[in-house]
Amino acid sequence: MTERGADDEIDFEIDPEDLEGSGPVVTEIGAPSLVVDDLHITYRVFGGKKVSPTPEEKPSFAKRILTSGRDQLGGVREVKAVQGISFVAHYGESIGIVGINGSGKSTLLRAVAGLIPPTQGAVYVSGEPSLLGVNAVLMSSLTGERNIMIGGLALGLTQRQVRERFDEIVEFSGIGDAVYLPMKAYSSGMGARLRFAISSAATPDILMIDEALATGDATFRQKSKERIDGVRENAGTVFLVSHSIATVEAMCARVLWVHKGRLVRDGPADEVCEEYKQFVRQVRERRKRDARAKS
Ligand SMILES: Nc1ncnc2c1ncn2[C@@H]1O[C@H](COP(=O)(O)OP(=O)(O)OP(=O)(O)O)[C@@H](O)[C@H]1O
Ligand SMILES: [Mg+2]
């Protein structure tokens, strides 16, 4: 895998106005909420580049005929997106996950959320992990209003609780009357804000956010930070995947740096982010040099 996209979206700029009173709130760290033990996730991609068999593996004539249709589509390719990640998260912690494009952050989050089964290893979650799969149940052909109900039910709220929180969710997302339009008509920012508003509506035990904050404006970021802090104050655990290092530094005390599916660092946000920034700078320099050499 190449280090593609290292400079595509990564945002170093700290805009103090975006994150007023920034810095993660200090919360007492409690008992473990989540244990990830030697997690491996391998995707099987059909129709990908064919891996040529070694002479001993060469299929017989009969087998070649029987599988000829599949062969035309290409073989099965394996993508090892997560390769042996282990860590323990605690109640009261907010943990940032950084890494360049394709490093396995979203896969890790989806596996922790129980949306993808581990190929190897295990994820143990204590408490209610119900919040986790909200994005998976939302349907773009339905209105925001319907999705609030569906997402709320998936979080374990009752219909009545969802109705009670409806106005607050819409208000938080800032999408206004667009809530009555199908979600496919939303801009990506509107969709992300509504998803975030829904997934954090139930003060979950574990709140997981994948890039949602990057799309919001300053006010939305500020509100998101307040909500994240709220979850932590209620002794939940927050995971935040973002290409905005400033956001991660402002909201998380601990950071996991994932590279090529492996955990390369797990430590205090300032230390890990500093090392990660240096790495990204090096990748940028190298790519610039390569581009110059080519031209
Ligand atoms: N559904 C899938 N099927 C096959 N391969 C996948 C799938 N989803 C992700 N991958 C591959 O797994 C690897 C990790 O992808 P992942 O989306 O977890 O990275 P990421 O760190 O979240 O990247 P980004 O910063 O771009 O969001 C990549 O090589 C990607 O191409
Ligand atoms: Mg991702």
Side-chain angles (χ1 to χ4, degrees):
M1 199 184 70
T2 54
E3 284 148 359
R4 71 197 155 86
D7 55 355
D8 291 350
E9 300 162 52
I10 294 166
D11 166 16
F12 293 136
E13 306 308 318
I14 297 187
D15 185 348
E17 279 174 23
D18 271 19
L19 298 159
E20 228 168 273
S22 68
V25 262
V26 180
T27 327
E28 211 161 295
I29 306 294
S33 58
L34 176 98
V35 177
V36 174
D37 181 19
D38 189 30
L39 181 69
H40 292 252
I41 303 287
T42 303
Y43 292 109
R44 289 167 68 81
V45 186
F46 296 90
K49 207 174 105 209
K50 224 167 87 183
V51 183
S52 25
T54 56
E56 310 85 76
E57 289 173 337
K58 233 182 178 131
S60 67
F61 178 68
K63 190 158 182 203
R64 284 207 308 271
I65 300 233
L66 288 170
T67 57
S68 63
R70 256 183 282 157
D71 271 5
Q72 273 161 18
L73 291 171
V76 178
R77 201 166 50 96
E78 289 195 334
V79 180
K80 294 187 189 260
V82 171
Q83 306 189 58
I85 290 188
S86 303
F87 64 90
V88 178
H90 302 83
Y91 287 110
E93 265 192 309
S94 66
I95 302 178
I97 304 179
V98 299
I100 59 176
N101 292 127
S103 51
K105 304 177 298 294
S106 299
T107 304
L108 175 63
L109 220 53
R110 288 170 60 78
V112 166
L115 300 173
I116 324 177
T119 311
Q120 191 188 313
V123 176
Y124 305 96
V125 185
S126 119
E128 265 305 309
S130 59
L131 67 123
L132 307 170
V134 70
N135 286 349
V137 299
L138 303 186
M139 282 182 267
S140 61
S141 56
L142 300 179
T143 60
E145 184 189 23
R146 293 295 300 153
N147 274 303
I148 290 175
M149 181 54 79
I150 293 169
L153 295 175
L155 291 170
L157 298 177
T158 62
Q159 285 200 22
R160 200 170 139 196
Q161 284 171 324
V162 181
R163 275 196 290 273
E164 279 166 9
R165 292 174 204 198
F166 181 82
D167 288 344
E168 193 201 320
I169 294 173
V170 177
E171 157 86 44
F172 187 85
S173 70
I175 61 168
D177 284 347
V179 72
Y180 301 108
L181 295 176
M183 275 185 79
K184 65 181 169 214
Y186 293 6
S187 70
S188 59
M190 288 161 75
R193 291 202 302 274
L194 182 61
R195 281 195 293 276
F196 180 78
I198 298 173
S199 33
S200 61
T203 318
D205 285 337
I206 303 176
L207 174 63
M208 307 185 129
I209 305 151
D210 194 346
E211 299 286 19
L213 299 172
T215 50
D217 59 10
T219 326
F220 186 71
R221 282 188 198 211
Q222 186 57 36
K223 282 196 288 187
S224 309
K225 178 169 164 26
E226 281 161 21
R227 195 156 270 201
I228 287 175
D229 290 345
V231 170
R232 291 183 58 212
E233 273 155 20
N234 285 300
T237 309
V238 180
F239 284 94
L240 169 66
V241 170
S242 177
H243 283 288
S244 159
I245 299 177
T247 309
V248 169
E249 280 183 320
M251 300 196 189
C252 306
R254 174 182 171 193
V255 170
L256 311 180
W257 171 12
V258 178
H259 187 61
K260 296 185 180 176
R262 297 178 205 273
L263 191 57
V264 289
R265 285 284 177 280
D266 172 359
D270 48 353
E271 287 172 26
V272 179
C273 287
E274 199 44 54
E275 262 192 274
Y276 176 61
K277 279 190 254 187
Q278 272 183 18
F279 167 77
V280 173
R281 276 191 209 110
Q282 280 168 8
V283 174
R284 279 182 188 178
E285 287 301 315
R286 202 166 53 226
R287 291 169 111 227
K288 267 193 215 146
R289 267 203 311 274
D290 290 352
R292 270 201 300 269
K294 261 188 211 154
S295 63

